[in-house]
Amino acid sequence: MMSRQAFLCSLGSLYLSLLFVFLLMDVYARPANNSALKEKLVDTKDENEILPPDHLNGVKMEMDGHLNKEFHQEVFLGKEMEEFEEDSEPRKNRKKLMVIFSKVDVNNDKKISAKEMQRWIMEKTDEHFQEAVEENKMHFRAVDPDGDGHVSWDEYKVKFLASKGFNEKEIVEKIRNNEELKIDEETQEVLDNLKDRWYQADNPPPDLLLNEEEFLSFLHPEHSRGMLKFMVKEIIRDLDQDGDKRLTLSEFISLPVGTVENQQAQDIDDDWVKDRKKEFEEVIDANHDGIVTMEELEEYMDPMNEYNALNEAKQMIAVADENQNHHLELEEILKYSEYFTGSKLMDYARNVHEEF
Ligand SMILES: [Ca+2]
Ligand SMILES: [Ca+2]
Ligand SMILES: [Ca+2]
Ligand SMILES: [Ca+2]
């Protein structure tokens, strides 16, 4: 005989299956407008997923002008980033790192050269890009519920405002009747920025309709030349104090205008200033004339730039190259694993030795 609990349980799952069938029927009954179910699916995810992400993987600078602290890890681990973070078991991470090492070491001489690391960085950067393309497919479906392959600015605006808690139906109605939307100042500012970006992502003809590819460059400006320029312009605008559209070191080591309240905290944050100074002088200012131009910043931020990847490779090797042979051996990578992967693995090795 079935226990009472098991009976209730199967009754519950029967109910759920029926509910699901009804939901499906409801959707198929209205093929022209199946946005209801999709919205439900979207709601369960991050509410901001249709917004351009704040952080771009594999790009050296954040859109707010801060240096990307995890850049090394992103170009070394690729899409395995999360796996490394989530798995706190050092033994497993150590194994993963050894597997990565053997993959980077293409000629199998048990050491990684700058060329090998450069090739690896390019490969991992491409991995981040492919991930963005896949995610974009999903996000595009969410903003293009009727599936005609184009999203208008108004359609996107509605989705954006809905994600901010506005009533979607009301917004649609008001836009249709040309009524005022009554949006708070902060949201309006975000919306204005998004619209600028939307214009930039819209290739000719300028109809404010984005297809999937244009929408990708809207969400991920790092992989489109035009959008990269736009992103660089915005960063310079935020950091440039005298309005000459170029950055001096002192402009670069100040926080963006509008975050003045952080100035005091920043003054005492020596490391922050030191890191930025080093990056400005040694890397971004390519011709070392003390000025960073838009072109220099654009080159610096371009994730597909092979020259940058080689520089990065050399920098990564220099950090851990204890025996000074301009190559990385497995032991060196393990010792500096925190730099490459974000997790300490050498301490673990030492502990194991002590244990036995
Ligand atoms: Ca090698
Ligand atoms: Ca300036
Ligand atoms: Ca320069
Ligand atoms: Ca070495």
Side-chain angles (χ1 to χ4, degrees):
M1 279 296 284
M2 197 188 265
S3 76
R4 185 183 148 82
Q5 214 169 9
F7 174 69
L8 282 176
C9 199
S10 63
L11 199 66
S13 59
L14 179 70
Y15 172 71
L16 279 177
S17 340
L18 276 174
L19 184 71
F20 188 61
V21 168
F22 281 131
L23 275 172
L24 281 179
M25 283 170 62
D26 185 40
V27 168
Y28 286 121
R30 296 178 292 128
N33 180 15
N34 58 2
S35 60
L37 183 66
K38 278 188 182 153
E39 267 160 39
K40 279 194 191 92
L41 292 174
V42 168
D43 278 350
T44 61
K45 294 190 178 300
D46 182 1
E47 59 155 15
N48 289 331
E49 70 169 345
I50 55 161
L51 272 176
D54 282 336
H55 170 79
L56 302 170
N57 281 330
V59 179
K60 295 197 87 173
M61 192 178 280
E62 309 285 356
M63 276 180 279
D64 63 4
H66 285 264
L67 299 178
N68 175 8
K69 285 279 174 208
E70 295 190 333
F71 180 76
H72 299 116
Q73 293 160 31
E74 288 166 4
V75 292
F76 185 69
L77 296 176
K79 63 182 181 201
E80 274 168 74
M81 277 278 293
E82 275 168 45
E83 236 183 274
F84 246 91
E85 268 166 31
E86 280 162 19
D87 207 335
S88 53
E89 165 87 76
R91 191 193 300 265
K92 283 192 195 151
N93 277 346
R94 202 177 145 88
K95 224 174 236 164
K96 278 186 222 157
L97 193 52
M98 287 158 85
V99 171
I100 291 177
F101 182 88
S102 62
K103 284 187 194 161
V104 189
D105 179 20
V106 177
N107 68 356
N108 208 14
D109 64 353
K110 307 292 173 217
K111 54 190 189 194
I112 294 174
S113 67
K115 275 271 161 202
E116 284 173 330
M117 189 64 106
Q118 177 197 25
R119 188 200 57 88
W120 181 256
I121 289 173
M122 296 301 292
E123 212 173 277
K124 296 292 113 174
T125 304
D126 190 57
E127 224 170 66
H128 284 302
F129 179 54
Q130 293 310 326
E131 226 179 9
V133 170
E134 284 309 309
E135 277 172 23
N136 185 60
K137 277 198 175 83
M138 193 175 75
H139 297 165
F140 191 74
R141 274 199 296 271
V143 290
D144 179 31
D146 65 3
D148 71 350
H150 294 277
V151 185
S152 72
W153 166 247
D154 278 344
E155 280 176 311
Y156 180 77
K157 187 160 99 180
V158 169
K159 294 287 170 194
F160 166 75
L161 290 172
S163 81
K164 290 281 166 198
F166 287 81
N167 182 309
E168 189 166 337
K169 278 204 184 104
E170 267 176 37
I171 296 280
V172 171
E173 198 60 32
K174 280 186 173 170
I175 289 180
R176 189 180 297 143
N177 301 329
N178 254 327
E179 282 174 51
E180 204 199 330
L181 293 177
K182 292 197 185 76
I183 300 166
D184 58 281
E185 210 174 304
E186 197 185 324
T187 308
Q188 185 61 48
E189 200 178 308
V190 178
L191 203 54
D192 290 344
N193 278 330
L194 286 172
K195 192 168 183 184
D196 282 349
R197 200 160 157 159
W198 193 272
Y199 269 98
Q200 290 296 323
D202 180 21
N203 291 329
D207 49 11
L208 287 191
L209 292 173
L210 299 194
N211 61 25
E212 190 175 312
E213 197 190 330
E214 290 165 334
F215 193 68
L216 174 67
S217 68
F218 172 72
L219 291 186
H220 285 274
E222 74 273 30
H223 292 287
S224 133
R225 196 34 84 171
M227 290 301 282
L228 193 63
K229 274 189 204 303
F230 177 69
M231 183 161 61
V232 165
K233 246 187 228 164
E234 299 233 292
I235 289 173
I236 295 218
R237 184 199 63 196
D238 290 345
L239 295 172
D240 182 20
Q241 289 165 7
D242 61 5
D244 67 352
K245 300 198 166 64
R246 309 176 322 160
L247 300 178
T248 60
L249 177 61
S250 88
E251 285 172 330
F252 189 69
I253 59 179
S254 304
L255 278 179
V257 180
T259 50
V260 185
E261 67 271 21
N262 292 328
Q263 192 69 35
Q264 215 176 358
Q266 184 217 316
D267 284 342
I268 43 173
D269 193 352
D270 285 344
D271 285 345
W272 194 88
V273 173
K274 225 186 283 167
D275 286 352
R276 278 180 93 79
K277 186 170 187 286
K278 192 167 184 282
E279 198 71 4
F280 182 98
E281 289 174 342
E282 293 176 16
V283 193
I284 315 177
D285 179 14
N287 67 352
H288 305 290
D289 67 349
I291 297 283
V292 163
T293 61
M294 282 206 188
E295 291 72 29
E296 282 173 329
L297 193 58
E298 194 183 314
E299 283 308 305
Y300 172 74
M301 288 187 65
D302 179 6
M304 295 308 197
N305 184 317
E306 288 187 27
Y307 175 75
N308 284 351
L310 183 61
N311 269 342
E312 194 55 40
K314 287 178 184 164
Q315 207 178 316
M316 282 165 93
I317 290 174
V319 164
D321 186 17
E322 291 216 321
N323 64 0
Q324 301 278 312
N325 65 348
H326 304 290
H327 285 72
L328 287 181
E329 282 76 19
L330 179 61
E331 295 69 40
E332 289 171 333
I333 290 208
L334 284 172
K335 187 161 180 186
Y336 289 84
S337 64
E338 197 173 8
Y339 174 81
F340 291 102
T341 70
S343 53
K344 273 189 199 152
L345 302 175
M346 207 57 183
D347 284 355
Y348 163 75
R350 205 177 304 132
N351 289 343
V352 169
H353 286 302
E354 280 162 10
E355 272 169 38
F356 288 101

